[in-house]
Amino acid sequence: MEGYLGIIAIIVVVALLAAGGMFLLLRPRGKSAPPVEPPEVRPVPGEEQAPPAGVAQDDDAATTTLPPPAKPAEPMVVPPAVEIPPPSAGRMVRLRARLARSQSTLGKGLLDLLSRDRLDDDTWDEIEETLITADVGVAPTQAMVEELRTKVKVLGSRTPAEVRGLLKEQLLTQIGSDTDRTLHVKPHGERPAVVLVVGVNGTGKTTTTGKLARSLIGDGNKVVLGAADTFRAAAADQLQTWGDRVGAEVVRGPEGGDPASVAFDAVAKGIEDKVDVVIVDTAGRLHTKTGLMDELGKVKRVIEKKATVDEVLLVLDATTGQNGMRQAQVFAEVVDVTGIALTKLDGTAKGGIIISVQRELGVPVKLVGLGEGPDDLAPFDPEVFVDALLGD
Ligand SMILES: Nc1nc2c(ncn2[C@@H]2O[C@H](COP(=O)(O)OP(=O)(O)OP(=O)(O)O)[C@@H](O)[C@H]2O)c(=O)[nH]1
């Protein structure tokens, strides 16, 4: 009996083992992840449910799962490097070669004529013609020729050095070597100095404003720029670029907006930021004299509610000669111009315009533009100018 029970127990154990083995063999292979219930999305009443990111919907409302969009690379924001411009002192000496290149024909022509052994009437006519052609102007030319005739007579025979000395003296007399050409840019206590830049469009007004800001910053001043040329949107952008390069704040207004309001805001900003100088670039459209007078007059009046206008700089293109001068005269009649910025002197052989423009407008040339480079604006130095003209 005991033997039977033992056999039955063995059979039961074997049967159980066999059943367990079958289960292990037949169960599905691999681990399956537990199904994930999608999160319940409750539509916001009145709003259409937007498809979740990465799910495209087609017309049949079937959905396709797309790979998540690649994250656009973050643009690298590199702050523009603020330049430290060079100081203004000695600029004309640095740019002397450029002046010599454009003006040497005039200087050399005059020196050759005056060095002739015999100075007859024809030679004096030629000297006169050379001066007139260089835009010196009729009256200054006559005054110079008369003086030179007298001095040459006294001298008799002349060495080249004497001829050069004579001519230099005469040119300096006509240009005015003692004239005060200081740019008034000293702040008044808490209030900044204000420079108003006026002139016909295309003369280099905006460029000169930008160059002047650089030069003042190079001399250690803090500057705010006012883009009151609201007539041409690009002018404000241009000024912004100049300002950004040297870290000068630029106050601008809407295109076609009121220039006086921009000028006012620029001066207010200058006072708030305690800057030394505010430079205001104006549009100065020359449609009618009355319109111009109204516009510039208002700009000036509005600025004067907050500060003093220390300089009204008239920008004049040296290459436009007498034609440019006539237009400049209109500006001089509507605002009290205190100084001239003569641009593009590197692009003309007619440097005599310095003499005629001062005479006709009654104000000194304070700045000269000698190229398109950012530091090609220099305080005008008559001595350096005449030396460049006559050569060493
Ligand atoms: N060669 C040379 N080019 C200059 C000088 N000054 C300005 N320019 C160039 O003259 C052109 C006109 O200058 P802008 O400053 O745009 O003239 P703008 O008078 O402000 O003109 P608007 O903004 O229309 O009023 C630019 O190409 C300047 O680079 C200079 O002294 N020499």
Side-chain angles (χ1 to χ4, degrees):
M1 187 64 186
E2 266 185 21
Y4 282 122
L5 281 174
I7 291 167
I8 288 166
I10 289 168
I11 290 170
V12 168
V13 168
V14 170
L16 281 172
L17 284 173
M22 285 294 282
F23 172 76
L24 283 173
L25 274 173
L26 295 176
R27 76 179 176 123
R29 294 282 166 109
K31 268 189 181 173
S32 65
V36 179
E37 286 286 330
E40 191 189 1
V41 179
R42 288 171 193 276
V44 177
E47 265 187 28
E48 234 180 73
Q49 195 63 39
V55 174
Q57 278 191 326
D58 62 21
D59 291 344
D60 301 330
T63 60
T64 321
T65 305
L66 298 176
K71 224 179 165 190
E74 285 279 318
M76 283 248 293
V77 184
V78 182
V82 172
E83 295 172 29
I84 300 167
S88 61
R91 286 234 185 142
M92 240 184 118
V93 176
R94 180 177 69 76
L95 298 165
R96 201 188 125 123
R98 224 169 273 181
L99 259 180
R101 221 174 297 139
S102 61
Q103 306 302 321
S104 66
T105 328
L106 167 64
K108 201 172 169 303
L110 289 172
L111 285 173
D112 286 351
L113 288 166
L114 278 168
S115 300
R116 285 185 186 169
D117 288 341
R118 267 199 67 226
L119 290 176
D120 55 18
D121 284 349
D122 285 349
T123 311
W124 285 113
D125 283 349
E126 271 186 73
I127 292 171
E128 198 170 311
E129 205 182 304
T130 308
L131 289 167
I132 299 274
T133 312
D135 272 349
V136 169
V138 177
T141 296
Q142 282 167 352
M144 271 183 80
V145 169
E146 208 165 298
E147 273 292 302
L148 284 168
R149 275 191 150 196
T150 314
K151 300 241 160 122
V152 162
K153 223 177 256 172
V154 173
L155 267 179
S157 62
R158 288 138 278 131
T159 65
E162 281 169 335
V163 170
R164 193 183 179 283
L166 266 185
L167 204 49
K168 181 171 175 175
E169 184 197 352
Q170 278 312 301
L171 285 166
L172 282 176
T173 306
Q174 291 303 325
I175 294 171
S177 48
D178 299 332
T179 315
D180 179 18
R181 298 176 196 274
T182 326
L183 208 57
H184 298 111
V185 286
K186 287 236 169 359
H188 313 270
E190 293 282 281
R191 282 157 197 260
V194 180
V195 179
L196 202 59
V197 182
V198 303
V200 181
N201 290 354
T203 51
K205 208 159 36 68
T206 306
T207 311
T208 301
T209 307
K211 287 179 181 174
L212 179 59
R214 277 182 74 89
S215 145
L216 289 172
I217 290 170
D219 288 339
N221 296 288
K222 211 174 154 194
V223 175
V224 159
L225 292 169
D229 183 352
T230 54
F231 183 62
R232 194 172 71 91
D237 293 341
Q238 214 177 314
L239 211 56
Q240 186 78 55
T241 308
W242 281 101
D244 289 347
R245 282 180 70 170
V246 286
E249 189 84 34
V250 180
V251 175
R252 39 197 304 185
E255 190 179 349
D258 182 10
S261 139
V262 178
F264 183 86
D265 290 348
V267 174
K269 180 78 182 148
I271 294 171
E272 186 191 319
D273 290 359
K274 298 189 170 48
V275 304
D276 303 291
V277 194
V278 175
I279 315 175
V280 179
D281 180 24
T282 60
R285 281 158 290 151
L286 250 184
H287 45 278
T288 63
K289 190 173 157 183
T290 330
L292 183 73
M293 204 180 299
D294 286 350
E295 186 178 305
L296 290 180
K298 189 175 167 197
V299 168
K300 201 163 175 247
R301 268 197 315 280
V302 161
I303 292 175
E304 281 168 349
K305 286 185 182 176
K306 291 211 149 266
T308 312
V309 175
D310 299 273
E311 284 281 355
V312 179
L313 270 184
L314 174 67
V315 180
L316 184 72
D317 178 343
T319 64
T320 56
Q322 287 303 319
N323 193 25
M325 195 100 82
R326 263 189 299 281
Q327 293 180 323
Q329 240 148 5
V330 179
F331 280 86
E333 284 163 23
V334 302
V335 270
D336 289 330
V337 175
T338 57
I340 298 158
L342 192 63
T343 61
K344 311 185 195 177
L345 204 52
D346 55 309
T348 176
K350 302 181 171 198
I353 193 162
I354 290 188
I355 296 170
S356 48
V357 75
Q358 294 187 134
R359 202 182 166 98
E360 288 189 31
L361 302 180
V363 275
V365 169
K366 292 192 171 178
L367 296 167
V368 282
L370 290 166
E372 294 199 69
D375 298 315
D376 292 346
L377 182 77
F380 179 60
D381 182 333
E383 187 100 13
V384 178
F385 177 75
V386 173
D387 278 342
L389 203 107
L390 300 177
D392 289 317

